[in-house]
Amino acid sequence: MTDGAPPQGQQLPKRFYKEASVEKSESGSGYELRLDGRQLKTPGKKLLLVPSSDLAQLIASEWTAQVEVINPATMPVTKIINSSLDGVSGREAEVAADIVSFAGSDLLCYRAEGPVELVKRQADAWNPVLAWAREAFGAQFVLAEGVMPVAQPEDALAAYAEQLKPLSAIELGAMHVLTTLSGSALLALGLMRGHIDADAAWAAAHIDEDYQIEQWGPDEEAAERRQKRWAEFEAASLVIANCR
Protein backbone atom coordinates (compact mmCIF):
# COMPACT_ATOMS: atom_id res chain seq x y z
CA MET A 1 0.00 0.00 0.00
CA THR A 2 1.11 3.56 -0.63
CA ASP A 3 0.84 6.43 1.85
CA GLY A 4 -2.20 7.79 0.02
CA ALA A 5 -0.47 10.85 -1.42
CA PRO A 6 -1.47 11.88 -4.96
CA PRO A 7 0.99 11.45 -7.85
CA GLN A 8 3.43 14.32 -8.23
CA GLY A 9 1.80 17.30 -9.87
CA GLN A 10 -1.74 16.02 -9.32
CA GLN A 11 -4.00 18.27 -7.27
CA LEU A 12 -6.11 16.96 -4.44
CA PRO A 13 -9.88 17.09 -5.02
CA LYS A 14 -11.76 19.86 -3.28
CA ARG A 15 -14.16 19.03 -0.48
CA PHE A 16 -17.57 18.86 -2.15
CA TYR A 17 -19.87 17.97 0.77
CA LYS A 18 -21.06 19.68 3.92
CA GLU A 19 -21.72 16.73 6.20
CA ALA A 20 -20.50 13.16 6.67
CA SER A 21 -22.98 10.95 8.50
CA VAL A 22 -23.57 7.30 9.38
CA GLU A 23 -26.74 5.38 8.57
CA LYS A 24 -27.77 1.79 9.18
CA SER A 25 -28.16 0.04 5.84
CA GLU A 26 -31.67 -0.68 4.61
CA SER A 27 -30.85 -4.39 4.55
CA GLY A 28 -29.73 -4.24 8.17
CA SER A 29 -26.42 -5.86 7.22
CA GLY A 30 -24.19 -3.03 8.36
CA TYR A 31 -23.58 0.70 8.39
CA GLU A 32 -23.05 3.12 5.53
CA LEU A 33 -21.23 6.42 5.32
CA ARG A 34 -23.18 9.17 3.62
CA LEU A 35 -21.99 12.52 2.31
CA ASP A 36 -24.86 15.01 2.36
CA GLY A 37 -27.20 12.03 2.42
CA ARG A 38 -25.62 10.25 -0.54
CA GLN A 39 -24.10 6.79 -0.15
CA LEU A 40 -20.32 6.75 -0.30
CA LYS A 41 -18.73 4.18 -2.59
CA THR A 42 -15.21 2.80 -2.84
CA PRO A 43 -12.92 3.63 -5.78
CA GLY A 44 -14.05 0.26 -7.19
CA LYS A 45 -17.69 1.47 -7.05
CA LYS A 46 -18.71 -0.82 -4.21
CA LEU A 47 -20.98 0.46 -1.46
CA LEU A 48 -18.85 1.45 1.53
CA LEU A 49 -20.57 -0.82 4.04
CA VAL A 50 -18.97 -1.79 7.37
CA PRO A 51 -20.17 -4.13 10.12
CA SER A 52 -20.31 -1.76 13.10
CA SER A 53 -21.48 1.73 13.88
CA ASP A 54 -18.20 2.48 15.68
CA LEU A 55 -16.15 1.62 12.60
CA ALA A 56 -18.43 3.73 10.41
CA GLN A 57 -18.00 6.63 12.82
CA LEU A 58 -14.21 6.36 12.51
CA ILE A 59 -14.54 6.71 8.75
CA ALA A 60 -16.99 9.59 9.09
CA SER A 61 -14.59 11.42 11.40
CA GLU A 62 -11.87 11.26 8.73
CA TRP A 63 -14.19 12.74 6.12
CA THR A 64 -15.37 15.41 8.56
CA ALA A 65 -11.77 16.38 9.30
CA GLN A 66 -11.08 17.27 5.65
CA VAL A 67 -11.14 21.04 5.24
CA GLU A 68 -10.68 22.56 1.78
CA VAL A 69 -9.42 19.45 -0.04
CA ILE A 70 -9.72 15.68 0.42
CA ASN A 71 -6.31 14.27 1.29
CA PRO A 72 -6.23 10.44 1.30
CA ALA A 73 -2.93 10.53 3.23
CA THR A 74 -4.86 11.78 6.27
CA MET A 75 -7.57 9.10 5.97
CA PRO A 76 -5.88 5.78 6.84
CA VAL A 77 -9.02 4.03 8.10
CA THR A 78 -10.92 4.90 4.92
CA LYS A 79 -7.97 3.66 2.87
CA ILE A 80 -7.92 0.28 4.64
CA ILE A 81 -11.68 -0.16 4.22
CA ASN A 82 -11.52 0.74 0.52
CA SER A 83 -8.60 -1.64 -0.06
CA SER A 84 -10.38 -4.43 1.82
CA LEU A 85 -13.68 -4.09 -0.01
CA ASP A 86 -12.09 -3.65 -3.44
CA GLY A 87 -9.00 -5.85 -3.13
CA VAL A 88 -9.66 -8.48 -0.46
CA SER A 89 -13.36 -9.28 -0.85
CA GLY A 90 -13.57 -12.33 -3.12
CA ARG A 91 -9.85 -13.04 -2.59
CA GLU A 92 -9.94 -13.90 1.11
CA ALA A 93 -8.13 -17.24 0.75
CA GLU A 94 -5.32 -15.64 -1.26
CA VAL A 95 -4.83 -12.82 1.25
CA ALA A 96 -4.95 -15.24 4.19
CA ALA A 97 -2.30 -17.39 2.50
CA ASP A 98 -0.07 -14.34 2.11
CA ILE A 99 -0.39 -13.58 5.83
CA VAL A 100 0.47 -17.20 6.65
CA SER A 101 3.57 -16.90 4.45
CA PHE A 102 4.75 -14.08 6.75
CA ALA A 103 4.30 -16.45 9.69
CA GLY A 104 6.64 -18.83 7.88
CA SER A 105 9.45 -16.26 8.17
CA ASP A 106 8.19 -14.30 11.14
CA LEU A 107 10.31 -11.53 12.65
CA LEU A 108 9.92 -13.02 16.13
CA CYS A 109 11.68 -16.23 15.08
CA TYR A 110 14.95 -14.61 13.98
CA ARG A 111 17.16 -13.66 16.90
CA ALA A 112 20.32 -11.63 17.11
CA GLU A 113 23.52 -13.43 18.11
CA GLY A 114 24.59 -10.31 20.00
CA PRO A 115 25.08 -7.88 21.66
CA VAL A 116 23.74 -9.28 24.93
CA GLU A 117 21.42 -6.31 25.52
CA LEU A 118 19.74 -6.69 22.12
CA VAL A 119 19.33 -10.45 22.63
CA LYS A 120 17.68 -9.76 25.99
CA ARG A 121 15.32 -7.13 24.57
CA GLN A 122 14.19 -9.47 21.81
CA ALA A 123 13.59 -12.30 24.26
CA ASP A 124 11.69 -10.10 26.73
CA ALA A 125 9.32 -8.77 24.06
CA TRP A 126 9.01 -11.70 21.68
CA ASN A 127 9.06 -14.81 23.85
CA PRO A 128 5.72 -14.04 25.57
CA VAL A 129 4.02 -13.73 22.15
CA LEU A 130 5.44 -17.07 21.03
CA ALA A 131 4.36 -18.65 24.34
CA TRP A 132 0.87 -17.23 23.84
CA ALA A 133 0.67 -18.71 20.33
CA ARG A 134 1.74 -22.09 21.67
CA GLU A 135 -0.80 -22.04 24.50
CA ALA A 136 -3.70 -20.35 22.67
CA PHE A 137 -3.77 -22.39 19.46
CA GLY A 138 -1.00 -24.96 19.67
CA ALA A 139 1.51 -23.38 17.30
CA GLN A 140 5.13 -24.19 18.18
CA PHE A 141 7.45 -21.99 16.12
CA VAL A 142 11.17 -22.65 15.67
CA LEU A 143 13.77 -20.00 16.50
CA ALA A 144 16.99 -19.23 14.62
CA GLU A 145 19.97 -16.96 15.17
CA GLY A 146 21.06 -14.61 12.41
CA VAL A 147 19.36 -14.26 9.04
CA MET A 148 19.65 -17.79 7.61
CA PRO A 149 16.10 -19.00 6.85
CA VAL A 150 14.54 -21.70 9.00
CA ALA A 151 11.56 -23.79 7.92
CA GLN A 152 8.63 -23.58 10.30
CA PRO A 153 6.70 -26.78 11.14
CA GLU A 154 3.73 -27.36 8.87
CA ASP A 155 1.46 -27.97 11.85
CA ALA A 156 2.39 -24.58 13.33
CA LEU A 157 1.54 -22.82 10.08
CA ALA A 158 -1.68 -24.82 9.76
CA ALA A 159 -2.66 -23.85 13.29
CA TYR A 160 -1.99 -20.21 12.49
CA ALA A 161 -3.99 -20.42 9.23
CA GLU A 162 -6.93 -21.82 11.16
CA GLN A 163 -7.11 -18.58 13.17
CA LEU A 164 -7.71 -16.58 9.98
CA LYS A 165 -10.62 -18.63 8.65
CA PRO A 166 -13.42 -16.79 10.55
CA LEU A 167 -12.19 -13.34 9.50
CA SER A 168 -14.09 -11.05 7.16
CA ALA A 169 -12.52 -9.30 4.17
CA ILE A 170 -12.16 -6.12 6.24
CA GLU A 171 -10.51 -7.95 9.13
CA LEU A 172 -8.15 -9.74 6.74
CA GLY A 173 -7.31 -6.45 5.04
CA ALA A 174 -6.43 -4.86 8.37
CA MET A 175 -4.49 -7.96 9.44
CA HIS A 176 -2.47 -7.79 6.22
CA VAL A 177 -1.57 -4.16 6.96
CA LEU A 178 -0.54 -5.01 10.53
CA THR A 179 1.55 -7.95 9.32
CA THR A 180 3.39 -6.19 6.50
CA LEU A 181 4.15 -3.09 8.57
CA SER A 182 5.44 -5.06 11.55
CA GLY A 183 7.04 -7.96 9.70
CA SER A 184 5.25 -10.30 12.07
CA ALA A 185 2.07 -12.27 11.51
CA LEU A 186 2.31 -13.34 15.15
CA LEU A 187 2.31 -9.78 16.47
CA ALA A 188 -0.64 -9.00 14.18
CA LEU A 189 -2.63 -11.97 15.46
CA GLY A 190 -1.71 -11.22 19.07
CA LEU A 191 -2.98 -7.69 18.57
CA MET A 192 -6.20 -8.87 16.96
CA ARG A 193 -6.83 -11.36 19.80
CA GLY A 194 -6.16 -8.78 22.50
CA HIS A 195 -2.98 -10.41 23.80
CA ILE A 196 -0.96 -7.27 23.04
CA ASP A 197 -1.97 -3.67 22.33
CA ALA A 198 -0.96 -1.55 19.34
CA ASP A 199 1.76 0.42 21.13
CA ALA A 200 3.40 -2.71 22.51
CA ALA A 201 3.17 -4.52 19.16
CA TRP A 202 4.75 -1.56 17.34
CA ALA A 203 7.54 -1.32 19.90
CA ALA A 204 8.17 -5.08 19.65
CA ALA A 205 8.42 -4.81 15.87
CA HIS A 206 11.07 -2.09 16.14
CA ILE A 207 13.40 -3.47 18.82
CA ASP A 208 16.28 -3.90 16.38
CA GLU A 209 15.74 -0.47 14.80
CA ASP A 210 15.47 1.27 18.16
CA TYR A 211 18.65 -0.41 19.36
CA GLN A 212 20.50 0.87 16.29
CA ILE A 213 19.14 4.37 16.87
CA GLU A 214 20.52 4.27 20.41
CA GLN A 215 23.94 3.31 19.07
CA TRP A 216 24.18 5.62 16.07
CA GLY A 217 21.59 8.33 16.59
CA PRO A 218 18.30 9.10 14.81
CA ASP A 219 17.79 9.74 11.11
CA GLU A 220 15.24 12.45 10.35
CA GLU A 221 13.96 10.95 7.09
CA ALA A 222 13.69 7.48 8.60
CA ALA A 223 11.81 8.91 11.57
CA GLU A 224 9.32 10.61 9.23
CA ARG A 225 8.75 7.38 7.29
CA ARG A 226 8.24 5.50 10.54
CA GLN A 227 5.66 8.02 11.74
CA LYS A 228 3.68 7.54 8.53
CA ARG A 229 3.82 3.77 8.92
CA TRP A 230 2.69 4.08 12.53
CA ALA A 231 -0.37 6.10 11.47
CA GLU A 232 -1.38 3.26 9.14
CA PHE A 233 -0.59 0.61 11.75
CA GLU A 234 -2.68 2.41 14.35
CA ALA A 235 -5.54 2.75 11.86
CA ALA A 236 -5.43 -0.97 11.11
CA SER A 237 -5.56 -1.75 14.83
CA LEU A 238 -8.60 0.52 15.17
CA VAL A 239 -10.31 -1.25 12.27
CA ILE A 240 -9.70 -4.61 13.95
CA ALA A 241 -10.94 -3.36 17.31
CA ASN A 242 -14.13 -1.88 15.86
CA CYS A 243 -15.14 -4.57 13.37
CA ARG A 244 -17.41 -6.46 15.74
Side-chain angles (χ1 to χ4, degrees):
M1 290 183 175
T2 66
D3 62 6
Q8 187 174 4
Q10 180 176 323
Q11 291 186 336
L12 293 169
K14 292 183 178 180
R15 175 169 170 159
F16 57 87
Y17 54 92
K18 294 181 179 179
E19 180 185 23
S21 61
V22 171
E23 299 287 345
K24 191 168 181 62
S25 67
E26 293 181 0
S27 65
S29 59
Y31 294 83
E32 305 170 0
L33 182 73
R34 300 196 177 186
L35 302 179
D36 294 339
R38 296 183 178 181
Q39 293 174 321
L40 181 64
K41 294 188 176 181
T42 68
K45 307 303 180 184
K46 293 184 178 180
L47 179 64
L48 201 154
L49 183 70
V50 295
S52 78
S53 174
D54 288 342
L55 182 52
Q57 291 292 348
L58 285 173
I59 301 167
S61 68
E62 291 186 340
W63 286 83
T64 299
Q66 305 306 301
V67 185
E68 294 182 356
V69 296
I70 301 171
N71 185 358
T74 64
M75 306 170 76
V77 174
T78 302
K79 176 185 172 185
I80 291 169
I81 299 301
N82 284 339
S83 297
S84 298
L85 295 177
D86 286 345
V88 179
S89 182
R91 298 175 55 241
E92 287 88 349
E94 181 181 341
V95 174
D98 196 43
I99 296 171
V100 174
S101 73
F102 272 89
S105 57
D106 204 274
L107 169 72
L108 307 196
C109 296
Y110 290 86
R111 304 302 176 91
E113 299 175 88
V116 173
E117 177 60 24
L118 177 57
V119 172
K120 181 180 184 303
R121 290 184 192 184
Q122 290 178 343
D124 288 347
W126 297 352
N127 286 357
V129 180
L130 289 165
W132 165 79
R134 183 172 60 251
E135 295 165 8
F137 54 94
Q140 177 74 54
F141 285 85
V142 178
L143 305 187
E145 288 187 346
V147 297
M148 291 301 293
V150 58
Q152 294 299 335
E154 288 298 324
D155 58 350
L157 297 178
Y160 183 96
E162 197 68 24
Q163 304 305 302
L164 303 181
K165 287 184 178 179
L167 302 188
S168 67
I170 290 174
E171 289 170 312
L172 281 171
M175 272 286 289
H176 196 272
V177 170
L178 293 173
T179 299
T180 55
L181 288 174
S182 67
S184 173
L186 287 166
L187 283 175
L189 186 61
L191 176 55
M192 187 186 74
R193 296 298 189 205
H195 173 72
I196 188 171
D197 64 25
D199 289 323
W202 187 250
H206 290 82
I207 285 176
D208 292 15
E209 182 178 315
D210 287 339
Y211 183 81
Q212 293 301 320
I213 289 171
E214 290 177 17
Q215 306 309 306
W216 305 104
D219 178 274
E220 188 174 333
E221 289 185 6
E224 185 178 345
R225 288 194 300 271
R226 178 163 163 173
Q227 186 58 38
K228 290 179 180 179
R229 295 198 309 272
W230 161 248
E232 191 169 357
F233 188 89
E234 184 180 35
S237 70
L238 287 171
V239 170
I240 288 288
N242 290 280
C243 257
R244 300 185 179 185

